[in-house]
Amino acid sequence: MKDGKFITLAFETSCDETSVALVADGREVLSNVVSSQIEVHKAFGGVVPEIASRHHLDNMSSVYSKAMEDAGVSLQEVDLIGVTCGPGLVGALLIGLATAKAFAYATKKPLVGVHHIQGHICANYIEHEDLEPPFLALVVSGGHTHLINVKGYNEHTVLGQTRDDAAGEAFDKVARVLGLGYPGGPAIDLVAREGNPHSVEFKRAMLEKDSLDFSFSGLKTGVLNYLNTQKLKGQEINVPDVAAAFQLAVVDVLVAKAMMAAERTGHNKLVLAGGVAANSLLRSMLSEACEKAGITLYYPSLKLCADNAAMIACAAYYKYLDGLTDDMTLDAYPALSL
Ligand code: KG4
Ligand code: ZN
């Protein structure tokens, strides 16, 4: 299957998902295979980096074979190789990188290293075929909480970011203390539906006036203090209530800052991306706020919110079109900035 199409083969191994995808002309997903290690890491309450790397290594060959088979593409038909080169767990990133570099070397095809956040933004190009920059992006995941002015496919200005915990990290940590397991985001999202979000009013950290930065570690401590106080008083803890109140506190801040950024930049398109973009309250409250402000909101389907290689292939394609290719010295950068 080629039909004059430009085929990108991409690898994503920045955290606990081993993913390989084939994408035609940047936006048409031919295959997107994701092998999740959630069950492996659940026992530890979070991702164990060394275990993640070993599993990437074990999984890579079968995930690659399935991606090629699903797409019905041969290696000779691949035009470009893309790979996440950071940020992420260094040992995990290196497995994807070594694989991508080996393929690029063997096939003599161009290689493009992709920033993981740029990948998350690109998930929206796959989902919404008419979407083009410029726009404002809110990227919320386990490792990032960023407001980004996307001026072009490869032109990003960070307007604000978290100064401590990422939004997803806060979800995961609070879920753990509530005994909801890992990953915490989906668990809180689900249980919060049964709770009263106004049962406790947790403090929202808005930081300095006009700041577009975020801070979620105080909120996490607020939840811990509340739980300890309740225990000392001998009062029972209503998990759905606490989950709902915590979730609302996070979402309130995300929506307020996104709207502030939209007003400041004058963008009338807002793109939501990253694992936390799957959150049902965030989607509904942001939709409502955007509708009121006359802003069009874009977000990916659930599968494209989480880590996957199709979004990396899309980002690699647009970098390639702008001549942004890499050579064999491409390395893993655990703290790569955008
Ligand atoms: O983008 P992602 O798959 O990995 C990173 O790049 O970090 O995001 C994973 C994060 C986890 O913290 C997870 O708890 C969170 O996304 N998450 C959610 C939901 N689904 C996943 N957070 C809130 N609500 C959800 N429904
Ligand atoms: Zn991610």
Side-chain angles (χ1 to χ4, degrees):
M1 204 229 82
K2 184 134 168 137
D3 307 331
K5 290 184 174 170
F6 187 95
I7 311 273
T8 304
L9 164 67
F11 301 89
E12 155 63 42
T13 61
S14 66
C15 191
D16 60 344
E17 260 95 31
T18 315
S19 182
V20 179
L22 285 134
V23 173
D25 296 337
R27 294 189 185 216
E28 185 193 340
V29 179
L30 304 178
S31 66
N32 188 20
V33 180
V34 181
S35 168
S36 171
Q37 302 177 13
I38 283 179
E39 289 308 317
V40 178
H41 297 283
K42 241 180 194 166
F44 304 96
V47 178
V48 184
E50 177 62 21
I51 295 178
S53 316
R54 284 168 190 268
H55 275 82
H56 286 311
L57 200 53
D58 286 346
N59 295 341
M60 184 53 84
S61 175
S62 59
V63 173
Y64 164 76
S65 301
K66 173 114 179 43
M68 296 301 277
E69 195 185 312
D70 285 2
V73 163
S74 71
L75 193 52
Q76 289 72 32
E77 291 173 317
V78 169
D79 298 293
L80 174 69
I81 315 263
V83 61
T84 309
C85 60
L89 305 169
V90 69
L93 288 164
L94 281 169
I95 306 300
L97 259 172
T99 313
K101 283 163 79 171
F103 274 114
Y105 186 76
T107 60
K108 301 189 173 52
K109 298 295 176 190
L111 174 72
V112 172
V114 171
H115 192 290
H116 186 74
I117 293 185
Q118 185 171 358
H120 272 301
I121 294 169
C122 289
N124 282 280
Y125 297 136
I126 294 173
E127 194 77 46
H128 309 282
E129 56 181 34
D130 299 329
L131 178 65
E132 277 179 27
F135 53 75
L136 174 68
L138 172 63
V139 184
V140 270
S141 73
H144 321 279
T145 309
H146 278 56
L147 273 165
I148 302 164
N149 190 352
V150 182
K151 298 176 193 156
Y153 283 103
N154 295 301
E155 218 185 319
H156 307 92
T157 307
V158 177
L159 303 170
Q161 58 187 302
T162 185
R163 293 187 188 170
D164 40 60
D165 291 354
E169 191 180 351
F171 269 94
D172 293 336
K173 287 177 175 168
V174 167
R176 193 192 307 196
V177 297
L178 289 176
L180 294 171
Y182 174 84
I188 288 188
D189 195 346
L190 196 69
V191 82
R193 288 172 203 179
E194 312 298 322
N196 171 9
H198 300 291
S199 53
V200 196
E201 292 299 331
F202 291 118
K203 203 162 171 279
R204 278 79 165 142
M206 296 303 286
L207 304 171
E208 309 83 48
K209 191 176 170 293
D210 295 338
S211 172
L212 291 174
D213 280 348
F214 300 90
S215 167
F216 293 110
S217 74
L219 173 59
K220 175 192 67 192
T221 310
V223 175
L224 276 174
N225 287 344
Y226 171 79
L227 295 176
N228 287 336
T229 311
Q230 291 300 99
K231 271 184 205 153
L232 285 174
K233 286 194 210 155
Q235 294 194 342
E236 223 174 275
I237 285 150
N238 183 319
V239 172
D241 278 357
V242 179
F246 159 76
Q247 179 174 256
L248 180 61
V250 174
V251 172
D252 264 348
V253 176
L254 292 175
V255 173
K257 299 255 173 180
M259 290 301 116
M260 247 164 84
E263 200 180 323
R264 202 170 298 171
T265 55
H267 282 303
N268 60 3
K269 286 189 270 184
L270 173 62
V271 163
L272 181 60
V276 183
N279 185 265
S280 57
L281 185 71
L282 178 59
R283 285 175 178 235
S284 68
M285 283 181 56
L286 209 48
S287 296
E288 210 174 294
C290 283
E291 206 179 312
K292 264 192 204 145
I295 294 168
T296 310
L297 176 66
Y298 299 84
Y299 48 76
S301 56
L302 292 184
K303 183 169 182 193
L304 288 172
C305 284
D307 291 348
N308 67 88
M311 67 187 197
I312 303 303
C314 178
Y317 173 78
Y318 285 109
K319 285 190 77 172
Y320 175 77
L321 291 187
D322 277 351
L324 300 169
T325 55
D326 291 288
D327 59 24
M328 286 297 145
T329 61
L330 180 66
D331 210 343
Y333 305 99
L336 186 65
S337 57
L338 195 63

